[in-house]
Amino acid sequence: MRMIKVGVLGASGKMGAQTCLAVQDAADCELVAQLGRGDDLAELTKAGAQVAVDLTRPEAVMTNLQWCIENGIHAVVGTTGWDEERLATLRSWLDAAPGVGVLIAPNFSIGAMLMMQFAAKAARFYESVEIIELHHPDKVDAPSGTARRTAELVAAARQEAGSVPIPDSTTDELDGARGAQIEGIRVHGVRLRGLIAHQEVLFGNEGEMLTIRHDSMSRVSFMAGVLLGVRRIVDTPGLTVGLEHFMDLS
Amino acid sequence: MRMIKVGVLGASGKMGAQTCLAVQDAADCELVAQLGRGDDLAELTKAGAQVAVDLTRPEAVMTNLQWCIENGIHAVVGTTGWDEERLATLRSWLDAAPGVGVLIAPNFSIGAMLMMQFAAKAARFYESVEIIELHHPDKVDAPSGTARRTAELVAAARQEAGSVPIPDSTTDELDGARGAQIEGIRVHGVRLRGLIAHQEVLFGNEGEMLTIRHDSMSRVSFMAGVLLGVRRIVDTPGLTVGLEHFMDLS
Amino acid sequence: MRMIKVGVLGASGKMGAQTCLAVQDAADCELVAQLGRGDDLAELTKAGAQVAVDLTRPEAVMTNLQWCIENGIHAVVGTTGWDEERLATLRSWLDAAPGVGVLIAPNFSIGAMLMMQFAAKAARFYESVEIIELHHPDKVDAPSGTARRTAELVAAARQEAGSVPIPDSTTDELDGARGAQIEGIRVHGVRLRGLIAHQEVLFGNEGEMLTIRHDSMSRVSFMAGVLLGVRRIVDTPGLTVGLEHFMDLS
Amino acid sequence: MRMIKVGVLGASGKMGAQTCLAVQDAADCELVAQLGRGDDLAELTKAGAQVAVDLTRPEAVMTNLQWCIENGIHAVVGTTGWDEERLATLRSWLDAAPGVGVLIAPNFSIGAMLMMQFAAKAARFYESVEIIELHHPDKVDAPSGTARRTAELVAAARQEAGSVPIPDSTTDELDGARGAQIEGIRVHGVRLRGLIAHQEVLFGNEGEMLTIRHDSMSRVSFMAGVLLGVRRIVDTPGLTVGLEHFMDLS
């Protein structure tokens, strides 16, 4: 079995600690470095890391990635907040480092990826679609980022297919009853003690419905996605944005 | 077996026609009169009706009921739009006709009644509660009347129990994402082709959730409620508001 | 505010430790004793405990209860395995100790109690009913105890109401496809990684369905039931079997 | 717009009648022939039919198809009961008629196809999977054909991916509680008045679950699949088995 030497950046955070455990448990991975804030990135090269998993923050990640790419270390990145400018900078660094791969994966949940991909594929076959996301009541934003992303994917698929507008005869609405709109898709956010992170995408035609639901209960569930990223990035030079590209779904 | 002679007012409407069929099919009921708009109420007495099922409209129902009560005919009433004034008038008529019973049942769905009663009973045990109602996209109002009524019952039960406010940390909301508020209860209305009339009441505490869901697919499902009303009103003098009082739930 | 002095028996087990935390957190309770295996029950009286919460094992519980009753300490008991003989013994001890109360609560989940009580109440209104219980794949028994108990309650309610047999035209069944039967009620057990402990009771009539679902995700959720038992047993002399009797549901 | 001339075989059956309506309503189709039992297939050629939709029975379909293929008429076939021998015969006929296409679609439900395809794609990412199918109580077979087919597809995908066995610690099972097994996949069949035809595929990993549910409420919902078949078969010579091949899912 091929062994992959992995270093974790942001190893003392919750996701970082979980990732260290997951790498240690994986039969084909070896945890060679755990770096926290202030630690020297050179520990990665000293330890012979082939892949760095970056679970730090948007303000630290670019410095980390530049160093990794220059030193020929592949990276799997879980931070959010990527825009075109940052991605362009990354691409330019990667152009200068043939053979090095970087995966940007703002969502490591394989189940959430499947839900979104399936929703996008189902979209053009249905007249109606709505999204319900359900989370614990300590969440500050509504709707969730996953719901927003799902709505965008569904809306794009409908537009590409030339779908007619979603039927809705509501004329007498109590403010907010029909949810928020994201690119024409209605999204409802439920907040309930006892929930963790859940989402349903409901599709409907005359006489039939299709529902895709994902329930995410713990950080552990992201580890399959992190390891998938680690295993695939060593053979995928250049920039990959989105874990779905490593899932061979089509 | 006791046979109950039943007349149907509004017999040519959808609910009326269904009710005529249901009365005919019931082993302990006999359909003795079917009246439409303009028909003479005296047909009820001529036919010996003991119970009139009124499925007409708010503007016709008071005249019908006054006549029924004066003629000693019990009534089961499915129209909506009842306020205190109308109910007071009804009560005064019934005071003058001891032995006559009238049931006002704006909702004949036994399942919807159960959902609402159970929700009211569960309310004081839970920190969080939200309501999702789901209907076909031709519905013009959102949220549904059943969702509004459920929210009122749940809010009243919480107030009576002295429940603390429902937790919600949302500070960053896309307009409408968190639904409408009815007496402090969040209500979400989904509109989807393929749906008929459905509702979920979700309750949550740390570590557990209770969900009560009702699915209503056809008018046929109201007939059990109509027949329950017919069977019970003959022995229940005076005014009864709400089918739940005939369901022996407590 | 009245303060209740509480001792916990079996304090070092998982449920016991959780209960100690819950009693400490409750504003109206004081944790005065935590006993493990081999500890002297006299610590309860020394500490002035008014209520003992017994989370030990069937083989220890009778000795504990005899001692508590003789010493005028109320008890809230979470062990299972109660039969008529044991309950009769308990009753005889309690007869000799007027004013002392014992609650036997094999299930401390308020939500599960609500599900079962609601299911029992709904049963007579429906033609069809089935139960689906869903648990983690490390569970050794199928169906769950809660599913069995729910089936028994539903079957009893149907029998009392004189319900006709549940319709089922299955003639061509792959072995096991239609689930297990408990007193005529079909029960299905799902085992899936990611699940904790969940149950759905499905009721159906022509044109409508009612679903009651309970999701139990953590031991924390039992604490509300334990505390309810503690608060009520001090004013409820004699034997009470089942937490539902303290829930004022009817 | 291209107009497709369509003839319906078995036009007096329920599916046939519905198909005639759907073809008439479709802007790009023209209903040119409706044949019942005993009608002459030559009506198809007289009417200039380009596509025949065969909704007859297994004992009639081979004769119909042979005639259609010989006369250069494409066919969309909804009958079940296809084995390798029959398919081989069809292929031999089609070899002799280049340009003619036949679609065998035992299931015209686009939603059911999506559910099965998505389930097959998700299978390799999950440790656990079970299927719950829910139908009206007049159904004679359990589990349903769709559930069997889904289980086969999921099992094949798991085998191809080298998945380890599904975890299940059940040692104390009431007969039938854990459902039927189809190629190692547990399948549960619920029968409830009020249901029509529904299925859930549940996938689980540590800390997350994915659920795909399809609800089929009326025959109308099959018409989108029939029309998709009609539109695509005119440009797809040879034999196609399964509507999914016309859904461009990958």
Short mmCIF file of all heavy atoms in Angstrom, two decimals, chain B residues 110-111 114 118 121-122 124-126 206-218 220-221 247-250, chain C residues 110-111 114 118 121-122 124-126 206-218 220-221 247-250:
data_model
loop_
_atom_site.label_atom_id
_atom_site.label_comp_id
_atom_site.label_asym_id
_atom_site.label_seq_id
_atom_site.Cartn_x
_atom_site.Cartn_y
_atom_site.Cartn_z
N ILE B 110 -60.16 14.62 10.95
CA ILE B 110 -59.83 14.04 12.25
C ILE B 110 -58.31 14.04 12.46
O ILE B 110 -57.81 14.33 13.53
CB ILE B 110 -60.43 12.63 12.37
CG1 ILE B 110 -61.94 12.76 12.67
CG2 ILE B 110 -59.73 11.82 13.44
CD1 ILE B 110 -62.67 11.45 12.78
N GLY B 111 -57.60 13.77 11.38
CA GLY B 111 -56.14 13.76 11.49
C GLY B 111 -55.58 15.13 11.81
O GLY B 111 -54.66 15.27 12.64
N LEU B 114 -56.21 15.79 15.42
CA LEU B 114 -55.26 15.07 16.27
C LEU B 114 -53.92 15.80 16.28
O LEU B 114 -53.32 16.01 17.33
CB LEU B 114 -55.09 13.63 15.77
CG LEU B 114 -56.29 12.70 15.96
CD1 LEU B 114 -56.06 11.38 15.23
CD2 LEU B 114 -56.55 12.44 17.45
N PHE B 118 -52.44 17.18 19.71
CA PHE B 118 -51.16 16.63 20.18
C PHE B 118 -50.11 17.74 20.27
O PHE B 118 -49.32 17.79 21.22
CB PHE B 118 -50.68 15.51 19.25
CG PHE B 118 -51.55 14.28 19.24
CD1 PHE B 118 -51.44 13.33 18.23
CD2 PHE B 118 -52.49 14.06 20.24
CE1 PHE B 118 -52.23 12.18 18.22
CE2 PHE B 118 -53.30 12.92 20.24
CZ PHE B 118 -53.16 11.98 19.22
N LYS B 121 -50.63 19.70 23.34
CA LYS B 121 -50.23 18.96 24.54
C LYS B 121 -48.70 18.86 24.67
O LYS B 121 -48.15 18.89 25.77
CB LYS B 121 -50.82 17.54 24.52
CG LYS B 121 -52.28 17.49 24.95
CD LYS B 121 -52.79 16.06 24.94
CE LYS B 121 -54.31 15.99 25.04
NZ LYS B 121 -54.81 16.49 26.35
N ALA B 122 -48.01 18.72 23.54
CA ALA B 122 -46.56 18.57 23.57
C ALA B 122 -45.85 19.89 23.86
O ALA B 122 -44.72 19.90 24.38
CB ALA B 122 -46.07 17.99 22.24
N ARG B 124 -45.67 22.39 25.92
CA ARG B 124 -45.01 22.85 27.15
C ARG B 124 -43.77 22.03 27.52
O ARG B 124 -43.00 22.43 28.38
CB ARG B 124 -46.01 22.86 28.31
CG ARG B 124 -46.44 21.51 28.77
CD ARG B 124 -47.64 21.65 29.73
NE ARG B 124 -48.39 20.42 29.79
CZ ARG B 124 -48.18 19.46 30.70
NH1 ARG B 124 -47.22 19.60 31.59
NH2 ARG B 124 -48.90 18.37 30.68
N PHE B 125 -43.57 20.89 26.87
CA PHE B 125 -42.41 20.07 27.18
C PHE B 125 -41.18 20.44 26.35
O PHE B 125 -40.12 19.86 26.54
CB PHE B 125 -42.73 18.59 26.95
CG PHE B 125 -43.78 18.05 27.88
CD1 PHE B 125 -45.07 17.82 27.44
CD2 PHE B 125 -43.47 17.80 29.21
CE1 PHE B 125 -46.05 17.34 28.31
CE2 PHE B 125 -44.43 17.32 30.08
CZ PHE B 125 -45.73 17.08 29.63
N TYR B 126 -41.33 21.36 25.39
CA TYR B 126 -40.23 21.61 24.46
C TYR B 126 -39.75 23.05 24.46
O TYR B 126 -40.55 23.98 24.57
CB TYR B 126 -40.62 21.19 23.05
CG TYR B 126 -40.56 19.68 22.91
CD1 TYR B 126 -41.69 18.90 23.15
CD2 TYR B 126 -39.37 19.05 22.62
CE1 TYR B 126 -41.62 17.51 23.08
CE2 TYR B 126 -39.30 17.67 22.54
CZ TYR B 126 -40.42 16.92 22.77
OH TYR B 126 -40.34 15.55 22.70
N GLU B 206 -32.70 19.77 23.77
CA GLU B 206 -31.34 19.27 23.67
C GLU B 206 -31.39 17.75 23.57
O GLU B 206 -31.91 17.07 24.46
CB GLU B 206 -30.58 19.68 24.95
CG GLU B 206 -29.11 19.34 24.95
CD GLU B 206 -28.33 20.17 23.94
OE1 GLU B 206 -28.68 21.35 23.74
OE2 GLU B 206 -27.38 19.63 23.34
N GLY B 207 -30.89 17.21 22.48
CA GLY B 207 -30.78 15.76 22.36
C GLY B 207 -32.01 15.00 21.92
O GLY B 207 -31.97 13.77 21.82
N GLU B 208 -33.11 15.66 21.64
CA GLU B 208 -34.29 14.93 21.16
C GLU B 208 -35.26 15.83 20.43
O GLU B 208 -35.31 17.03 20.66
CB GLU B 208 -35.01 14.25 22.33
CG GLU B 208 -35.61 15.20 23.32
CD GLU B 208 -37.09 14.93 23.60
OE1 GLU B 208 -37.74 14.25 22.81
OE2 GLU B 208 -37.57 15.43 24.62
N MET B 209 -36.04 15.21 19.55
CA MET B 209 -37.06 15.95 18.80
C MET B 209 -38.33 15.11 18.67
O MET B 209 -38.28 13.89 18.64
CB MET B 209 -36.53 16.29 17.40
CG MET B 209 -35.44 17.35 17.43
SD MET B 209 -34.95 17.84 15.78
CE MET B 209 -34.15 16.34 15.23
N LEU B 210 -39.44 15.81 18.56
CA LEU B 210 -40.73 15.16 18.32
C LEU B 210 -41.35 15.84 17.11
O LEU B 210 -41.39 17.07 17.05
CB LEU B 210 -41.65 15.31 19.53
CG LEU B 210 -43.03 14.67 19.41
CD1 LEU B 210 -42.92 13.15 19.53
CD2 LEU B 210 -43.98 15.20 20.49
N THR B 211 -41.79 15.04 16.14
CA THR B 211 -42.41 15.60 14.94
C THR B 211 -43.79 15.00 14.76
O THR B 211 -43.96 13.78 14.85
CB THR B 211 -41.55 15.27 13.69
OG1 THR B 211 -40.22 15.72 13.92
CG2 THR B 211 -42.12 15.96 12.46
N ILE B 212 -44.75 15.85 14.53
CA ILE B 212 -46.11 15.37 14.24
C ILE B 212 -46.45 15.85 12.84
O ILE B 212 -46.39 17.05 12.55
CB ILE B 212 -47.12 15.94 15.26
CG1 ILE B 212 -46.68 15.59 16.68
CG2 ILE B 212 -48.52 15.41 14.98
CD1 ILE B 212 -47.47 16.32 17.76
N ARG B 213 -46.76 14.90 11.97
CA ARG B 213 -47.04 15.26 10.58
C ARG B 213 -48.40 14.76 10.16
O ARG B 213 -48.79 13.63 10.48
CB ARG B 213 -45.97 14.62 9.66
CG ARG B 213 -46.21 14.97 8.19
CD ARG B 213 -45.19 14.37 7.24
NE ARG B 213 -45.57 14.61 5.87
CZ ARG B 213 -44.89 15.37 5.00
NH1 ARG B 213 -43.76 15.92 5.36
NH2 ARG B 213 -45.35 15.55 3.77
N HIS B 214 -49.14 15.62 9.45
CA HIS B 214 -50.41 15.18 8.89
C HIS B 214 -50.38 15.40 7.39
O HIS B 214 -49.93 16.44 6.90
CB HIS B 214 -51.58 15.97 9.49
CG HIS B 214 -52.90 15.48 9.02
ND1 HIS B 214 -53.76 16.21 8.25
CD2 HIS B 214 -53.50 14.26 9.19
CE1 HIS B 214 -54.84 15.47 7.98
NE2 HIS B 214 -54.70 14.31 8.53
N ASP B 215 -50.82 14.38 6.65
CA ASP B 215 -50.92 14.45 5.20
C ASP B 215 -52.38 14.28 4.82
O ASP B 215 -52.99 13.27 5.17
CB ASP B 215 -50.11 13.32 4.55
CG ASP B 215 -48.63 13.42 4.82
OD1 ASP B 215 -47.94 14.09 4.06
OD2 ASP B 215 -48.18 12.82 5.83
N SER B 216 -52.89 15.26 4.11
CA SER B 216 -54.30 15.20 3.69
C SER B 216 -54.32 15.16 2.18
O SER B 216 -53.86 16.08 1.52
CB SER B 216 -55.02 16.43 4.21
OG SER B 216 -56.37 16.38 3.88
N MET B 217 -54.78 14.04 1.62
CA MET B 217 -54.69 13.87 0.17
C MET B 217 -56.03 14.03 -0.56
O MET B 217 -56.04 14.28 -1.74
CB MET B 217 -54.10 12.51 -0.17
CG MET B 217 -52.59 12.46 -0.06
SD MET B 217 -52.01 12.24 1.65
CE MET B 217 -52.55 10.59 2.03
N SER B 218 -57.13 13.83 0.14
CA SER B 218 -58.40 13.98 -0.57
C SER B 218 -59.54 14.29 0.37
O SER B 218 -59.47 14.04 1.57
CB SER B 218 -58.71 12.71 -1.37
OG SER B 218 -59.53 11.84 -0.62
N VAL B 220 -62.22 12.89 0.64
CA VAL B 220 -62.77 11.69 1.27
C VAL B 220 -62.39 11.61 2.73
O VAL B 220 -63.17 11.16 3.58
CB VAL B 220 -62.24 10.42 0.55
CG1 VAL B 220 -62.68 9.15 1.27
CG2 VAL B 220 -62.71 10.39 -0.89
N SER B 221 -61.19 12.10 3.04
CA SER B 221 -60.70 11.97 4.41
C SER B 221 -61.49 12.80 5.41
O SER B 221 -61.39 12.60 6.62
CB SER B 221 -59.21 12.36 4.47
OG SER B 221 -59.06 13.74 4.22
N MET B 247 -64.02 13.98 20.15
CA MET B 247 -63.00 12.96 19.90
C MET B 247 -62.50 12.28 21.17
O MET B 247 -61.65 11.39 21.11
CB MET B 247 -61.84 13.57 19.09
CG MET B 247 -62.29 13.91 17.66
SD MET B 247 -61.01 14.78 16.70
CE MET B 247 -59.81 13.48 16.52
N ASP B 248 -63.02 12.69 22.32
CA ASP B 248 -62.66 12.05 23.59
C ASP B 248 -61.15 11.89 23.74
O ASP B 248 -60.65 10.81 24.06
CB ASP B 248 -63.33 10.66 23.68
CG ASP B 248 -64.84 10.76 23.51
OD1 ASP B 248 -65.41 11.77 23.96
OD2 ASP B 248 -65.42 9.83 22.93
N LEU B 249 -60.44 12.98 23.48
CA LEU B 249 -58.98 12.87 23.48
C LEU B 249 -58.37 12.93 24.87
O LEU B 249 -57.25 12.50 25.09
CB LEU B 249 -58.38 13.98 22.62
CG LEU B 249 -58.56 13.73 21.12
CD1 LEU B 249 -58.08 14.91 20.32
CD2 LEU B 249 -57.85 12.46 20.71
N SER B 250 -59.09 13.49 25.82
CA SER B 250 -58.45 13.59 27.14
C SER B 250 -59.15 12.69 28.16
O SER B 250 -60.17 12.10 27.88
CB SER B 250 -58.48 15.03 27.61
OG SER B 250 -59.81 15.50 27.63
N ILE C 110 -39.19 12.02 27.80
CA ILE C 110 -40.51 12.66 27.73
C ILE C 110 -41.05 12.59 26.30
O ILE C 110 -42.23 12.34 26.07
CB ILE C 110 -40.40 14.12 28.23
CG1 ILE C 110 -40.37 14.09 29.77
CG2 ILE C 110 -41.55 14.97 27.74
CD1 ILE C 110 -40.23 15.45 30.41
N GLY C 111 -40.15 12.76 25.34
CA GLY C 111 -40.59 12.70 23.95
C GLY C 111 -41.11 11.32 23.57
O GLY C 111 -42.12 11.19 22.87
N LEU C 114 -44.51 10.94 25.03
CA LEU C 114 -45.51 11.67 24.23
C LEU C 114 -45.86 10.87 22.98
O LEU C 114 -47.03 10.70 22.65
CB LEU C 114 -44.98 13.06 23.85
CG LEU C 114 -44.85 14.07 25.00
CD1 LEU C 114 -44.14 15.34 24.51
CD2 LEU C 114 -46.22 14.44 25.57
N PHE C 118 -49.61 9.65 22.39
CA PHE C 118 -50.32 10.16 21.22
C PHE C 118 -50.71 9.00 20.29
O PHE C 118 -51.81 8.97 19.74
CB PHE C 118 -49.46 11.18 20.46
CG PHE C 118 -49.19 12.45 21.22
CD1 PHE C 118 -48.18 13.32 20.81
CD2 PHE C 118 -49.94 12.82 22.33
CE1 PHE C 118 -47.92 14.50 21.49
CE2 PHE C 118 -49.70 13.99 23.03
CZ PHE C 118 -48.68 14.84 22.61
N LYS C 121 -53.69 7.29 21.61
CA LYS C 121 -54.91 8.08 21.43
C LYS C 121 -55.37 8.10 19.98
O LYS C 121 -56.57 8.12 19.68
CB LYS C 121 -54.68 9.52 21.91
CG LYS C 121 -54.77 9.68 23.43
CD LYS C 121 -54.57 11.15 23.80
CE LYS C 121 -54.32 11.30 25.30
NZ LYS C 121 -55.47 10.92 26.13
N ALA C 122 -54.42 8.13 19.05
CA ALA C 122 -54.78 8.21 17.62
C ALA C 122 -55.28 6.87 17.09
O ALA C 122 -56.03 6.83 16.10
CB ALA C 122 -53.57 8.68 16.81
N ARG C 124 -57.48 4.50 17.52
CA ARG C 124 -58.85 4.10 17.18
C ARG C 124 -59.43 4.87 16.01
O ARG C 124 -60.47 4.50 15.47
CB ARG C 124 -59.75 4.24 18.40
CG ARG C 124 -60.03 5.63 18.85
CD ARG C 124 -60.70 5.62 20.22
NE ARG C 124 -60.52 6.87 20.89
CZ ARG C 124 -61.37 7.90 20.81
NH1 ARG C 124 -62.48 7.78 20.10
NH2 ARG C 124 -61.13 9.01 21.45
N PHE C 125 -58.79 5.96 15.60
CA PHE C 125 -59.31 6.74 14.48
C PHE C 125 -58.80 6.26 13.13
O PHE C 125 -59.19 6.79 12.10
CB PHE C 125 -58.92 8.22 14.66
CG PHE C 125 -59.56 8.87 15.84
CD1 PHE C 125 -58.84 9.13 16.99
CD2 PHE C 125 -60.91 9.20 15.82
CE1 PHE C 125 -59.43 9.73 18.10
CE2 PHE C 125 -61.51 9.80 16.91
CZ PHE C 125 -60.78 10.06 18.06
N TYR C 126 -57.89 5.28 13.12
CA TYR C 126 -57.25 4.90 11.86
C TYR C 126 -57.44 3.44 11.48
O TYR C 126 -57.41 2.56 12.34
CB TYR C 126 -55.76 5.26 11.90
CG TYR C 126 -55.55 6.73 11.73
CD1 TYR C 126 -55.47 7.59 12.82
CD2 TYR C 126 -55.50 7.27 10.45
CE1 TYR C 126 -55.32 8.95 12.65
CE2 TYR C 126 -55.35 8.64 10.27
CZ TYR C 126 -55.27 9.48 11.36
OH TYR C 126 -55.14 10.82 11.18
N GLU C 206 -58.17 6.27 4.27
CA GLU C 206 -58.36 6.69 2.89
C GLU C 206 -58.15 8.21 2.81
O GLU C 206 -58.87 8.97 3.47
CB GLU C 206 -59.79 6.33 2.45
CG GLU C 206 -60.09 6.60 1.02
CD GLU C 206 -59.36 5.63 0.09
OE1 GLU C 206 -59.18 4.46 0.50
OE2 GLU C 206 -58.96 6.05 -1.01
N GLY C 207 -57.17 8.63 2.04
CA GLY C 207 -57.00 10.06 1.80
C GLY C 207 -56.25 10.86 2.85
O GLY C 207 -56.09 12.07 2.70
N GLU C 208 -55.77 10.24 3.91
CA GLU C 208 -55.00 11.01 4.91
C GLU C 208 -54.11 10.12 5.75
O GLU C 208 -54.38 8.94 5.93
CB GLU C 208 -55.94 11.81 5.82
CG GLU C 208 -56.81 10.95 6.68
CD GLU C 208 -56.74 11.32 8.16
OE1 GLU C 208 -55.77 11.97 8.59
OE2 GLU C 208 -57.65 10.90 8.90
N MET C 209 -53.06 10.69 6.27
CA MET C 209 -52.13 9.97 7.13
C MET C 209 -51.68 10.86 8.28
O MET C 209 -51.60 12.08 8.14
CB MET C 209 -50.91 9.52 6.34
CG MET C 209 -51.23 8.39 5.36
SD MET C 209 -49.76 7.75 4.56
CE MET C 209 -49.34 9.19 3.56
N LEU C 210 -51.35 10.23 9.39
CA LEU C 210 -50.79 10.93 10.54
C LEU C 210 -49.51 10.21 10.92
O LEU C 210 -49.49 8.98 11.03
CB LEU C 210 -51.77 10.90 11.71
CG LEU C 210 -51.31 11.62 12.98
CD1 LEU C 210 -51.38 13.14 12.80
CD2 LEU C 210 -52.16 11.21 14.20
N THR C 211 -48.43 10.96 11.09
CA THR C 211 -47.15 10.36 11.46
C THR C 211 -46.63 11.02 12.72
O THR C 211 -46.61 12.25 12.82
CB THR C 211 -46.11 10.56 10.33
OG1 THR C 211 -46.66 10.04 9.11
CG2 THR C 211 -44.82 9.82 10.65
N ILE C 212 -46.24 10.20 13.67
CA ILE C 212 -45.63 10.72 14.89
C ILE C 212 -44.22 10.17 14.94
O ILE C 212 -44.02 8.95 14.90
CB ILE C 212 -46.42 10.29 16.14
CG1 ILE C 212 -47.88 10.73 16.01
CG2 ILE C 212 -45.80 10.87 17.41
CD1 ILE C 212 -48.79 10.13 17.07
N ARG C 213 -43.24 11.07 14.99
CA ARG C 213 -41.84 10.64 14.97
C ARG C 213 -41.10 11.19 16.18
O ARG C 213 -41.26 12.35 16.54
CB ARG C 213 -41.15 11.15 13.69
CG ARG C 213 -39.69 10.74 13.63
CD ARG C 213 -38.97 11.20 12.37
NE ARG C 213 -37.56 10.88 12.46
CZ ARG C 213 -36.92 10.02 11.65
NH1 ARG C 213 -37.56 9.43 10.68
NH2 ARG C 213 -35.64 9.77 11.81
N HIS C 214 -40.30 10.34 16.78
CA HIS C 214 -39.43 10.79 17.86
C HIS C 214 -37.99 10.47 17.51
O HIS C 214 -37.68 9.38 17.05
CB HIS C 214 -39.80 10.10 19.19
CG HIS C 214 -39.01 10.65 20.35
ND1 HIS C 214 -38.11 9.91 21.07
CD2 HIS C 214 -38.98 11.90 20.87
CE1 HIS C 214 -37.57 10.67 22.00
NE2 HIS C 214 -38.07 11.87 21.91
N ASP C 215 -37.12 11.46 17.71
CA ASP C 215 -35.69 11.29 17.49
C ASP C 215 -34.98 11.51 18.81
O ASP C 215 -35.13 12.57 19.42
CB ASP C 215 -35.17 12.33 16.49
CG ASP C 215 -35.79 12.17 15.12
OD1 ASP C 215 -35.23 11.41 14.32
OD2 ASP C 215 -36.85 12.77 14.86
N SER C 216 -34.23 10.53 19.24
CA SER C 216 -33.50 10.63 20.49
C SER C 216 -32.01 10.56 20.17
O SER C 216 -31.53 9.56 19.64
CB SER C 216 -33.92 9.48 21.40
OG SER C 216 -33.27 9.57 22.63
N MET C 217 -31.31 11.65 20.44
CA MET C 217 -29.92 11.71 20.01
C MET C 217 -28.92 11.58 21.15
O MET C 217 -27.78 11.25 20.91
CB MET C 217 -29.65 13.02 19.27
CG MET C 217 -30.08 13.01 17.82
SD MET C 217 -31.86 13.33 17.62
CE MET C 217 -32.01 15.01 18.13
N SER C 218 -29.34 11.89 22.37
CA SER C 218 -28.36 11.78 23.45
C SER C 218 -29.03 11.58 24.80
O SER C 218 -30.20 11.91 24.99
CB SER C 218 -27.45 13.01 23.49
OG SER C 218 -27.93 13.95 24.41
N VAL C 220 -28.62 13.15 27.36
CA VAL C 220 -29.03 14.43 27.96
C VAL C 220 -30.54 14.58 27.92
O VAL C 220 -31.16 15.14 28.83
CB VAL C 220 -28.38 15.61 27.19
CG1 VAL C 220 -28.91 16.94 27.69
CG2 VAL C 220 -26.87 15.56 27.32
N SER C 221 -31.15 14.05 26.86
CA SER C 221 -32.58 14.25 26.67
C SER C 221 -33.41 13.52 27.73
O SER C 221 -34.59 13.80 27.89
CB SER C 221 -33.00 13.79 25.28
OG SER C 221 -32.87 12.39 25.16
N MET C 247 -47.21 13.48 33.55
CA MET C 247 -47.14 14.43 32.45
C MET C 247 -48.46 15.17 32.20
O MET C 247 -48.55 15.99 31.28
CB MET C 247 -46.66 13.71 31.18
CG MET C 247 -45.18 13.29 31.31
SD MET C 247 -44.60 12.29 29.93
CE MET C 247 -44.63 13.48 28.60
N ASP C 248 -49.47 14.87 32.98
CA ASP C 248 -50.77 15.58 32.87
C ASP C 248 -51.25 15.66 31.43
O ASP C 248 -51.62 16.73 30.94
CB ASP C 248 -50.63 17.00 33.45
CG ASP C 248 -50.11 16.98 34.88
OD1 ASP C 248 -50.46 16.04 35.62
OD2 ASP C 248 -49.35 17.89 35.24
N LEU C 249 -51.21 14.53 30.74
CA LEU C 249 -51.54 14.55 29.31
C LEU C 249 -53.03 14.57 29.04
O LEU C 249 -53.46 14.95 27.97
CB LEU C 249 -50.89 13.35 28.61
CG LEU C 249 -49.39 13.50 28.44
CD1 LEU C 249 -48.79 12.24 27.88
CD2 LEU C 249 -49.07 14.68 27.56
N SER C 250 -53.84 14.12 30.00
CA SER C 250 -55.26 14.07 29.68
C SER C 250 -56.03 15.05 30.57
O SER C 250 -55.47 15.63 31.48
CB SER C 250 -55.80 12.66 29.90
OG SER C 250 -55.54 12.24 31.20
#
